[in-house]
Amino acid sequence: MIRVLIADDQEMVRMGFRMILDAQDDIEVVADVADGVSAVSKARELRPDVCLLDIRMPGLDGLEVTRQLAGPDVTDPLKVVVVTTFDLDEYVHTALRNGASGFLLKDAGPALLIEAVRAADRGDALVSPQITVRLLKHFDGSGPAKPQVKPPSEPLTAREMDVVKAAARGMTNTEIGSELYLSLSTVKTHLASVQGKIGARNRVEIAAWAWRSGVVS
């Protein structure tokens, strides 16, 4: 059973998400809260498998909640999916830096909501190509402020680069394995190796690095 916490200041959103998720045999909503302070306290108390966090909330916004639950200084981080909209893309970089492992569109339909939760739980946090590409594309260096990209500690192998490109396109581990004729464990091994080489904490940061460095465009 995938245990989920929902944090959103709009009651209708929380009710809608809860109704959709609770209808699934493998998902249970353990709490829904309306503000960031409650989100942090409930998440630390209940240790859900996935936290769905809206960005704009009273008390603490979703970005700060993400940092407190999944940031680089957190010893045992939780998996956080940030709820966002395309016109709030400027928040994505902060969410990534604060430890978010995935993104969900505010107006996502039931299928994508369910997929987002299941994907985050199994570590495939990039939900779908259309979400991934549109949210991460501004990292490609074409904007007014080109981001600085730290080079890998050692060169990526050709196969690692193939896996990175696939992950940056929003493919799950299973999809990457099918496309590249690799076992699931091999895909995970390559991703772990890439994380070490580029200093990423999760596959979302791998995808962001790929866009920033021009590996994908």
Side-chain angles (χ1 to χ4, degrees), residues 36-208:
V37 175
S38 299
V40 171
S41 62
K42 274 294 183 185
R44 287 175 174 170
E45 173 191 347
L46 299 174
R47 300 293 302 176
D49 300 304
V50 179
C51 299
L52 286 176
L53 304 180
D54 187 22
I55 288 181
R56 293 185 173 180
M57 293 188 292
L60 299 173
D61 66 23
L63 301 177
E64 175 59 21
V65 175
T66 299
R67 188 190 68 79
Q68 293 192 26
L69 297 180
D73 298 327
V74 178
T75 304
D76 189 14
L78 293 169
K79 292 177 180 177
V80 170
V81 175
V82 172
V83 181
T84 185
T85 56
F86 287 147
D87 61 335
L88 296 178
D89 282 1
E90 66 269 20
Y91 293 133
V92 174
H93 184 247
T94 302
L96 283 172
R97 189 171 64 243
N98 288 357
S101 57
F103 299 95
L104 177 70
L105 299 185
K106 188 82 173 195
D107 58 354
L112 276 179
L113 172 63
I114 296 163
E115 184 183 357
V117 169
R118 289 174 176 159
D121 179 63
R122 66 175 182 262
D124 285 334
L126 300 184
V127 179
S128 67
Q130 59 265 42
I131 291 177
T132 302
V133 171
R134 293 185 67 176
L135 285 178
L136 298 180
K137 199 168 185 179
H138 71 288
F139 286 140
D140 65 3
S142 60
K146 291 195 174 185
Q148 296 297 313
V149 181
K150 186 177 179 180
S153 59
E154 60 181 284
L156 273 61
T157 67
R159 213 50 169 158
E160 288 171 350
M161 193 65 76
D162 290 338
V163 171
V164 166
K165 291 176 180 177
R169 299 203 320 269
M171 299 178 72
T172 67
N173 289 352
T174 301
E175 291 169 340
I176 294 172
S178 297
E179 179 172 278
L180 300 178
Y181 303 102
L182 300 173
S183 69
L184 192 59
S185 61
T186 301
V187 173
K188 291 180 178 179
T189 297
H190 283 318
L191 287 171
S193 176
V194 171
Q195 283 182 217
K197 290 180 179 181
I198 68 174
R201 287 171 294 165
N202 53 52
R203 64 190 294 115
V204 180
E205 290 191 358
I206 291 176

